[in-house]
Amino acid sequence: MERADKAGFWQSVTGSLEDDETPRQAAVREVREETGLDAAQYELQDWQVSNVYEIYPHWRHRYAPGITENREHLFALTLPTALPVTLAPGEHVRYEWVDWREAAKRVFSWTNIDALKRLGERHGLKM
């Protein structure tokens, strides 16, 4: 999905925990908010992997003062086919279903690239 606030910045579904949410609950909520898809209807795999990364300065205003790093938990959602997506207004401007290798070329975040490479590895594929 291409971000609305940063042209040319492609990413997977992302988000933050709210209140007392578990990472899994947040993943289901974020998938629904950003794509309109109900992750609870499909196989949602918790890869038991997390990455810590520095929050880009232009997005730090979304976090509490002094917060400069974020922990991202990796989940994979298995869909039966490339389903239609309803993007969250103001968050993303377009989406495309592409091969994981193509997606890894487009995304700006090293954590997204890492997740896509792990996806390929899980299926015995190489870049």
Side-chain angles (χ1 to χ4, degrees), residues 45 47 78 100 117-126:
Q45 300 170 358
W47 285 359
T78 302
W100 67 274
K117 286 181 179 178
R118 288 172 185 266
L119 176 66
E121 290 168 2
R122 284 177 177 255
H123 292 280
L125 306 170
K126 302 266 186 215

Side-chain angles (χ1 to χ4, degrees), residues 26-87:
V28 170
R29 177 182 50 75
E30 289 290 349
V31 167
R32 182 178 295 256
E33 288 175 3
E34 294 186 21
T35 68
L37 300 173
D38 182 359
Q41 291 185 16
Y42 307 100
E43 181 185 358
L44 181 64
Q45 300 170 358
D46 182 347
W47 285 359
Q48 299 294 312
V49 172
S50 65
N51 291 311
V52 175
Y53 63 91
E54 183 177 355
I55 300 165
Y56 285 98
H58 58 271
W59 283 315
R60 288 188 186 161
H61 69 278
R62 299 177 177 180
Y63 299 85
I67 301 297
T68 60
E69 291 185 334
N70 197 18
R71 177 174 301 278
E72 185 175 79
H73 300 270
L74 274 62
F75 288 85
L77 182 62
T78 302
L79 300 173
T81 188
L83 299 173
V85 166
T86 303
L87 295 174

